[in-house]
Amino acid sequence: MLENLTLKEASDGLRAKKIKPSELLNDNLERLKNVNTELNIYLTETAEIAKNQASEADLRQEKGNFLSLLDGIPGALKDIVNTKGIRSTSASKILENFIPPYNATVAQKLFDAGLVLTGKTNTDEFACGGTTEFSAFGVTKNPWDKERVAGGSSGGSAAAVASRTCQYAIGTDTGGSIRQPASFCGISGLKVTYGRVSRSGVTAMASSLDTVGPMARTVEDLAMVMEVIAGTDINDSTTPKIDVPKYTELLNQDLKGLKIGIPREYFTEKLDDENRQIIQNALKEYEKMGAVLKEINLPATKYAVAIYYIISPAELSANLARFDGIRYGLKPEGNVDDIADQYYKTRNQGFGPEVKRRILTGNYVLSAGYFDAYYKKALKIRTLIKQDFENAFKDVDVIMCPVTLSSAYKIGAKNDDVLSMYLEDAFTIPASMAGVPSLSIPCGFNSENLPIGLQIIGPQFSEDKILNIGHQFQLMTDWHKKSAI
Ligand code: GLN
C-alpha cells in the first residue's frame, strides 16, 4: 500500500518515523514486479542496489540524520541518464551493454540526497520520438490502457510514476518528452528553463534544446525534486549561476490578478473537441481563483515543428557521430574491411530506423549546399519564436494551453505516418525553442477515461512561479489523485 504515497507523503512519513525506507521500497518493488512484465517500463531493474540504499537510509533514519527531503525514497532514472556501474543504454542497441564509468550530475545529486533507485526507464532510442515505440527494447504501454502508448520519449519514467512503482522519476525534454508522456499518463512533469538543470552525463540528443527535469504525481513533489537537482554545474557551461529558489516554500502564493495568456494559435480546429472542453474547464478553475484570461498571439508557432525537424536532427547527427564502433559501444558482427566499413557496419547494425532517418536529415541540412537554405534559416525563425514569447510576457504572467492535440493513441497508430507523429509535438516544441520553462499537469479525463494535460508556460527561470500556479490548481481539483492501476 505504501507505493500509493506521494513523494511528499512518503517524506513526511519517514521523517515522523511512521514508516521505514526499506518498507516503502518493498511495497514499490512488489508493485514493480506485478506491472513491469506487462508494461515494459524498466530496461534495467536495480532492486538489489535499491535494497542496499534503503537499508543505509534506514540507519540514517534511526540516527535522525537524513540527507535531504528525498532521502530513502524510491525514484527512477530515464535510461539516457548515465549511472556509474549500472547499464545505461539510451534504449539503443549500440549501447546495449554500456556500463558508464561515472554518474551524470543529476544522478550524482540524487544519490547524494539519498535516492533509492528502482531502475532505468525505457525511452525512444536516444530520446528521438514521442511514444517509446522507437526503443530498441520494445514499447512501454500506458498504465491507463495497455493498448495505448505511454507517450515519449520519457514514456518509461511517466509509466513508472503513474503505475506507482516509485515516487518520482527523472525525464528529459527536448521538444516535449517530459510534458507529453506526463499528459498521456495523468501525472505532473516539468520541463525546466534551458540550463536550469545540468545536462552533464545525460546522453545528448539536440544540445541546444535538451533539458532534464522531474516527473511525479503532484506539483509539490516536482518542487521537492527541483530543490535537489537544479543549479549551476562546473561540468555544464550552460548552467548559469542563478540562485535556486526554495521552490517548496513558494507554493502558497494566491493567484488574484494573475494574468494568463491564452494563445489563439494553440486552439486550432486540429485540437480534439473533448480536449478543448477539458482545457476550458481548467481555465475556468483559474478564473475562480481570481486569475484573468487574455487572448494573445504567438504568430511564429506555425513554423515550430518544421524548424525543430531541421535543428534537432542537425544537432543529433553531430552528437551521434561519436558512436563509431571503436571507442565504446557495439562492435559490429563479422569482418570489417577498413575504417569506413567499421563505421558503416557499427551504425547500420546499432542504430534503429528513426535515428538513422534523423542522422540522414541532419547531415543533409548541414551539408555545404543546404546549410544556408535550411539550417541557417531555421535558426532565424527560432529567434522569431523566442521573440513571440518575450513579447507575450510583457503583457501576461504566464501562458496556458493544451499539451497535446489528443490523448494517448493506440500502439502502432502512427507507424505508417511518421509526419503525423511529428506534427503531434506542435504545442510542446515552441517552449523548447524559446528555452522557457513549462509544466504539464493533469486537468481532466476524456470519455475513454484517458487523462488530458494542461500546459503552463512561464518566462525563463520562473519555475517557482509556474510550480505555484500548478500547485494551486491541485489544491482545488483531484485529477492528480486518480489512479491508473
Ligand atoms: N517527440 C519529439 C521528437 O521526437 C521530442 C523528443 C524529446 O523531447 N526528446 O523529437
Side-chain angles (χ1 to χ4, degrees):
M1 288 304 281
L2 296 178
E3 74 278 8
N4 290 319
L5 298 176
T6 65
L7 175 53
K8 172 73 165 72
E9 289 162 352
S11 182
D12 289 348
L14 290 175
R15 240 139 291 274
K17 298 199 173 169
K18 287 193 188 132
I19 51 171
K20 279 168 56 170
S22 51
E23 292 166 352
L24 177 62
L25 175 67
N26 272 343
D27 287 7
N28 278 278
L29 289 182
E30 191 62 32
R31 172 60 66 84
L32 196 159
K33 215 168 64 204
N34 291 336
V35 297
N36 195 38
T37 323
E38 207 178 354
L39 299 180
N40 193 33
I41 297 170
Y42 288 89
L43 296 180
T44 304
E45 292 175 39
T46 52
E48 289 316 307
I49 293 172
K51 282 179 195 158
N52 285 334
Q53 290 168 330
S55 340
E56 285 169 21
D58 284 350
L59 293 178
R60 290 194 291 273
Q61 183 186 44
E62 275 166 33
K63 293 193 195 125
N65 56 0
F66 271 135
L67 299 167
S68 77
L69 291 178
L70 306 190
D71 195 353
I73 301 180
L77 298 171
K78 182 174 179 176
D79 210 22
I80 69 168
V81 176
N82 286 296
T83 39
K84 185 176 176 181
I86 302 170
R87 188 172 84 117
S88 303
T89 67
S90 296
S92 179
K93 254 189 90 161
I94 217 160
L95 288 175
E96 187 167 4
N97 299 309
F98 177 55
I99 307 222
Y102 69 100
N103 279 322
T105 299
V106 66
Q108 190 62 50
K109 282 188 170 185
L110 287 168
F111 285 135
D112 291 345
L115 165 65
V116 172
L117 181 70
T118 49
K120 307 293 297 290
T121 56
N122 200 10
T123 158
D124 291 285
E125 184 176 6
F126 291 108
C128 296
T131 60
T132 76
E133 288 168 297
F134 295 132
S135 163
F137 309 112
V139 64
T140 295
K141 296 176 182 155
N142 192 310
W144 292 92
D145 177 348
K146 295 175 191 70
E147 288 180 7
R148 292 176 190 267
V149 299
S153 60
S154 311
S157 287
V161 171
S163 61
R164 306 193 175 182
T165 65
C166 56
Q167 268 63 34
Y168 70 100
I170 295 298
T172 63
D173 191 312
T174 301
S177 278
I178 286 180
R179 290 162 285 164
Q180 184 255 34
S183 170
F184 279 9
C185 289
I187 64 159
S188 308
L190 176 68
K191 179 201 105 63
V192 301
T193 306
Y194 181 74
R196 179 74 294 193
V197 174
S198 169
R199 292 175 292 116
S200 175
V202 176
T203 304
M205 177 189 167
S207 308
S208 77
L209 295 157
D210 292 345
T211 61
V212 180
M215 306 173 84
R217 301 223 310 272
T218 71
V219 173
E220 192 175 27
D221 292 354
L222 299 179
M224 290 172 71
V225 181
M226 278 299 285
E227 281 181 16
V228 172
I229 64 174
T232 185
D233 175 18
I234 188 130
N235 293 324
D236 178 353
S237 61
T238 61
T239 53
K241 283 204 183 80
I242 294 178
D243 283 345
V244 177
K246 273 272 185 196
Y247 297 108
T248 52
E249 289 170 15
L250 297 167
L251 294 176
N252 51 8
Q253 324 288 311
D254 82 60
L255 303 187
K256 281 199 196 68
L258 179 82
K259 282 195 228 130
I260 302 175
I262 311 297
R264 289 192 182 87
E265 293 78 1
Y266 285 61
F267 290 83
T268 60
E269 68 287 355
K270 290 201 196 90
L271 178 65
D272 182 281
D273 278 341
E274 261 192 295
N275 198 335
R276 180 192 311 268
Q277 195 51 51
I278 289 167
I279 299 287
Q280 270 157 2
N281 292 344
L283 295 174
K284 283 199 192 108
E285 206 60 54
Y286 276 102
E287 283 186 306
K288 276 193 231 156
M289 289 186 260
V292 191
L293 307 185
K294 185 171 183 237
E295 283 205 14
I296 58 163
N297 288 315
L298 296 170
T301 302
K302 56 179 177 290
Y303 306 119
V305 174
I307 66 156
Y308 174 85
Y309 282 98
I310 294 173
I311 295 171
S312 75
E315 295 183 10
L316 179 83
S317 67
N319 281 325
L320 295 190
R322 76 190 59 164
F323 297 103
D324 52 13
I326 296 168
R327 284 170 287 193
Y328 56 95
L330 178 103
K331 299 272 179 290
E333 279 168 24
N335 290 335
V336 296
D337 299 336
D338 53 23
I339 187 78
D341 194 38
Q342 166 111 9
Y343 289 168
Y344 169 74
K345 286 193 172 131
T346 304
R347 291 166 183 165
N348 194 33
Q349 292 171 21
F351 289 136
E354 179 61 17
V355 165
K356 283 181 187 158
R357 176 161 38 226
R358 293 190 192 205
I359 292 174
L360 290 175
T361 313
N363 283 324
Y364 180 81
V365 299
L366 289 177
S367 61
Y370 298 102
F371 183 84
D372 287 346
Y374 294 111
Y375 185 68
K376 234 169 139 187
K377 203 182 246 172
L379 290 185
K380 287 185 185 157
I381 295 171
R382 181 174 183 176
T383 306
L384 294 180
I385 294 178
K386 214 166 157 225
Q387 284 166 355
D388 270 3
F389 281 99
E390 282 163 7
N391 289 336
F393 290 130
K394 286 180 194 150
D395 278 343
V396 297
D397 300 307
V398 290
I399 294 169
M400 289 194 192
C401 56
V403 182
T404 51
L405 288 162
S406 59
S407 51
Y409 32 87
K410 289 257 166 78
I411 292 170
K414 308 220 181 256
N415 279 5
D416 299 331
D417 185 4
V418 72
L419 187 61
S420 84
M421 187 184 291
Y422 291 175
L423 291 170
E424 289 284 329
D425 298 333
F427 298 158
T428 48
I429 284 174
S432 299
M433 284 293 163
V436 294
S438 168
L439 179 68
S440 168
I441 52 172
C443 71
F445 285 76
N446 67 11
S447 47
E448 294 175 297
N449 195 35
L450 296 170
I452 306 287
L454 171 71
Q455 185 171 203
I456 307 174
I457 306 173
Q460 289 201 335
F461 296 99
S462 67
E463 282 83 357
D464 53 340
K465 195 194 280 181
I466 60 174
L467 287 170
N468 173 58
I469 293 168
H471 178 64
Q472 297 308 316
F473 185 80
Q474 295 190 334
L475 291 176
M476 304 292 288
T477 59
D478 61 3
W479 306 115
H480 59 291
K481 293 190 181 147
K482 304 252 182 273
S483 173
I485 304 273

